[in-house]
Amino acid sequence: MEDIAQIMGLSPVIPVVTVNDADTGVHIAKAIYAGGVSVIEITRRTAAAFEAIQAVKRELPEMCLGVGTVWTAEQARNAIDAGAEFIVSPGIADAVDDVCRKHEIAYLPGAQTVSELAHLATRGRHHVKLFPATVLGGPPAIRAYSSVHPEMTFCPTGGIDQETAPAYLALPSVACVGGSWLTPKDAVSRGDWDAVRLEAKNVDRLRA
Ligand code: 3PG
């Protein structure tokens, strides 16, 4: 099992994927992996999410599989049972943190404010999803957060795309960004998995 720092180093982008059926999840995961990205976060925001997570785990075990939008201990346990290698919360969710510690599963908690970052630091969490990064003020906000929390490493997420990602990735405190742009809705509805593969293939160019 990898820790969250290692997982954040797997790719400049953690693709955030929300699917309405398991097959689509598998197609997307395979396309992303074929494009050279070996990490994915599937959100648990749809009825099909857990079926998709189980299917990706079964069909593509080499993919580092995360489950996102996890707020409660029960959701965390379900995600771990479904095969999650890491868990993501968009904000503070101490009950999820506790479950991840107990099961020794990598965890990426979220924060929006300097006080929440301080809270996470007191719990020994120094790798954080900063969400929604664009609304929080983008790269200048992260520079300000880093000035008072130099111990923190960020995965900014929320409103980021291939145009804006490089400015985030240029910051020393940013290990990777998260985003859903690798799976454009129109490409997914057409079943254009090659378009998804090409989006994944481009991520290495985002880091200067
Ligand atoms: C998430 O769950 O992390 C977000 O939905 C991703 O944000 P984005 O869709 O703006 O990239």
Side-chain angles (χ1 to χ4, degrees):
M1 189 203 28
E2 289 170 293
D3 68 21
I4 197 65
Q6 288 172 307
I7 290 168
M8 288 166 77
L10 290 174
S11 166
V13 181
I14 298 180
V16 179
V17 172
T18 301
V19 290
N20 290 315
D21 65 275
D23 272 359
T24 300
V26 172
H27 280 298
I28 288 173
K30 286 186 172 170
I32 285 172
Y33 195 80
V37 173
S38 61
V39 58
I40 190 171
E41 174 189 331
I42 298 180
T43 73
R44 42 154 299 284
R45 297 202 284 262
T46 59
F50 279 97
E51 209 187 313
I53 291 155
Q54 286 167 328
V56 170
K57 185 75 186 171
R58 190 172 59 240
E59 304 281 326
L60 196 65
E62 52 275 56
M63 179 66 106
C64 182
L65 176 60
V67 175
T69 326
V70 179
W71 288 115
T72 70
E74 188 187 2
Q75 291 165 0
R77 283 191 292 269
N78 290 341
I80 294 166
D81 287 347
E85 275 174 72
F86 67 101
I87 303 282
V88 185
S89 302
I92 300 288
D94 289 345
V96 175
D97 188 348
D98 292 342
V99 170
C100 290
R101 280 177 204 278
K102 188 170 162 206
H103 291 263
E104 298 185 338
I105 289 278
Y107 181 46
L108 186 63
Q112 286 72 45
T113 68
V114 290
S115 302
E116 289 168 357
L117 291 170
H119 173 81
L120 291 174
T122 63
R123 293 181 66 95
R125 295 291 183 187
H126 299 115
H127 293 81
V128 178
K129 171 170 175 160
L130 210 54
F131 178 83
T134 311
V135 176
L136 293 171
I142 295 174
R143 273 193 289 272
Y145 287 146
S146 291
S147 68
V148 284
H149 286 292
E151 75 283 15
M152 288 291 179
T153 300
F154 298 110
C155 172
T157 306
I160 300 175
D161 60 19
Q162 65 273 42
E163 306 296 326
T164 55
Y168 289 94
L169 292 167
L171 299 173
S173 62
V174 170
C176 61
V177 300
S180 61
W181 83 86
L182 270 68
T183 49
K185 276 198 176 69
D186 55 335
V188 171
S189 62
R190 285 197 309 274
D192 185 355
W193 312 125
D194 207 47
V196 176
R197 181 184 66 82
L198 290 173
E199 290 285 355
K201 208 162 176 278
N202 279 333
V203 304
D204 278 334
R205 295 197 204 145
L206 301 174
R207 209 193 292 279

